[in-house]
């Protein structure tokens, strides 16, 4: 259930959205011979302020507070900024915090085809004995439109960073076992991408991109690149 209230402050350049919502989830899982059940109940309230000068700046800042019967009480801030330094350029900045309860089996269904033993390291947490995941994320992006040989194109450069306060590790290193456990140190994920779009002539378009991902997690054996996540990717369409 959701309740929202929208209004303006003095004029339409300043807008606010506030309200509250409540959720209830009743989850039953049967994995091999292990049955688990949990009820999640939460209620949260939020406030968001949006500023648009109708020219080149748009700012959205919000904060919410939630009470969850298993996660406790926590704050979630977020910020988005859009700025046009000139007519053909757009700059974006974002940041925020997230906290969630993981469904480790539903999110890793491929493990059931591996014939490996499943092991969950019990840390006395509320979710399969694990603690919830908590992360801060930040991002910056710039888009520049251009015209070359009388044809339109654009180039996009962005960088995103995620830092985990708490992370659930899916450890495949032992060939006979899959282990789930909370990381002891902060994991991180850095992503950089540059993309070029151009139409050299009518009915023909080219899109190409390069992406670099540095996704590192703290396994029991040490900090390593995330499994099956290549650091370099190239895309041409």
């Amino acid at each position: 259930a959701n309740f929202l209230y929208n209004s303006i402050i003095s004029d339409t350049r300043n807008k606010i959205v506030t309200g509250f919502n409540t959720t209830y989830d009743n989850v039953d899982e049967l994995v091999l011979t292990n049955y688990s059940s949990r009820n999640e109940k939460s209620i949260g309230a939020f406030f968001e302020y949006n500023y648009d000068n109708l020219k080149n700046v748009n700012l959205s800042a919000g904060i919410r507070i939630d009470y969850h019967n298993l996660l406790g009480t926590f704050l979630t801030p977020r910020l988005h900024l859009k700025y046009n330094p000139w007519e053909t350029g757009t700059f974006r900045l974002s940041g925020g915090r997230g906290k969630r309860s993981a469904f480790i089996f539903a999110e890793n269904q491929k493990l059931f085809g591996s014939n490996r033993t499943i092991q969950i390291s019990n840390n006395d947490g509320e979710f399969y004995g694990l603690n919830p995941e908590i992360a801060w994320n930040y991002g910056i992006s710039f888009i520049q439109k251009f015209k070359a040989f009388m044809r339109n194109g654009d180039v996009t450069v962005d960088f995103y960073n995620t830092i985990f306060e708490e992370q659930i590790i899916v450890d495949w290193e032992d060939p006979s076992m899959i282990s789930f456990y909370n990381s002891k140190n902060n994991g991180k994920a850095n992503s950089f991408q540059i993309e070029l779009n151009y139409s050299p002539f009518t009915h023909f378009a080219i899109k190409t991109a390069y992406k670099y991902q540095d996704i590192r997690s703290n396994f029991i054996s040490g900090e390593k690149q995330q499994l099956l996540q290549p650091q370099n990717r190239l895309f041409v369409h």
Side-chain angles (χ1 to χ4, degrees):
N2 293 278
F3 174 80
L4 302 176
Y5 174 76
N6 296 268
S7 186
I8 62 174
I9 302 174
S10 73
D11 58 51
T12 54
R13 291 176 299 177
N14 300 275
K15 301 177 182 178
I16 61 169
V17 182
T18 188
F20 67 87
N21 69 293
T22 181
T23 62
Y24 173 76
D25 289 320
N26 186 357
V27 182
D28 296 309
E29 285 185 310
L30 178 62
V31 177
L32 301 177
T33 58
N34 300 316
Y35 172 80
S36 64
S37 174
R38 75 180 190 230
N39 291 321
E40 295 191 46
K41 293 169 280 188
S42 68
I43 183 168
F46 66 92
F47 178 84
E48 180 178 294
Y49 168 74
N50 181 268
Y51 171 75
D52 189 345
N53 69 353
L54 306 179
K55 293 180 181 179
N56 61 350
V57 175
N58 186 290
L59 171 69
S60 179
I63 190 167
R64 67 174 292 136
I65 182 170
D66 287 274
Y67 170 74
H68 190 285
N69 64 316
L70 300 179
L71 296 175
T73 302
F74 57 94
L75 288 172
T76 307
R78 71 185 187 97
L79 173 71
H80 296 277
L81 172 66
K82 178 183 176 184
Y83 173 61
N84 297 97
W86 45 81
E87 185 176 354
T88 57
T90 302
F91 172 82
R92 288 184 172 87
L93 179 70
S94 64
R97 181 180 187 266
K99 184 175 183 178
R100 76 181 193 109
S101 55
F103 291 89
I104 60 175
F105 299 119
E107 295 167 9
N108 297 278
Q109 294 190 26
K110 60 184 178 182
L111 65 87
F112 294 113
S114 67
N115 199 35
R116 300 188 186 201
T117 302
I118 298 173
Q119 175 178 291
I120 302 175
S121 298
N122 193 321
N123 293 331
D124 298 321
E126 297 288 350
F127 310 100
Y128 315 96
L130 301 169
N131 297 321
E133 292 192 308
I134 306 172
W136 288 87
N137 58 79
Y138 312 92
I140 187 171
S141 174
F142 182 73
I143 302 174
Q144 177 64 55
K145 297 179 181 179
F146 64 87
K147 181 169 286 189
F149 304 104
M150 304 300 294
R151 305 295 298 177
N152 294 325
D154 63 79
V155 60
T156 303
V157 180
D158 56 44
F159 174 78
Y160 292 96
N161 169 254
T162 301
I163 300 174
F164 287 91
E165 291 183 21
E166 190 82 47
Q167 185 181 18
I168 294 177
I169 303 297
V170 186
D171 191 337
W172 295 70
E173 287 198 296
D174 187 331
S176 64
M177 181 184 300
I178 299 172
S179 300
F180 294 91
Y181 51 85
N182 289 104
S183 64
K184 297 180 180 179
N185 300 299
N186 294 341
K188 64 180 181 179
N190 296 314
S191 174
F192 169 80
Q193 179 171 298
I194 182 168
E195 178 182 321
L196 174 66
N197 297 289
Y198 183 62
S199 177
F201 50 86
T202 305
H203 306 309
F204 188 85
I206 297 174
K207 174 184 286 189
T208 181
Y210 166 74
K211 187 173 187 177
Y212 172 78
Q213 293 187 118
D214 180 25
I215 305 175
R216 308 191 70 82
S217 298
N218 291 284
F219 294 83
I220 290 177
S221 56
E223 184 184 275
K224 298 180 179 180
Q225 175 78 2
Q226 187 64 263
L227 176 72
L228 298 179
Q229 291 288 344
Q231 283 192 321
N232 299 281
R233 294 182 179 184
L234 183 65
F235 170 83
V236 179
H237 177 72

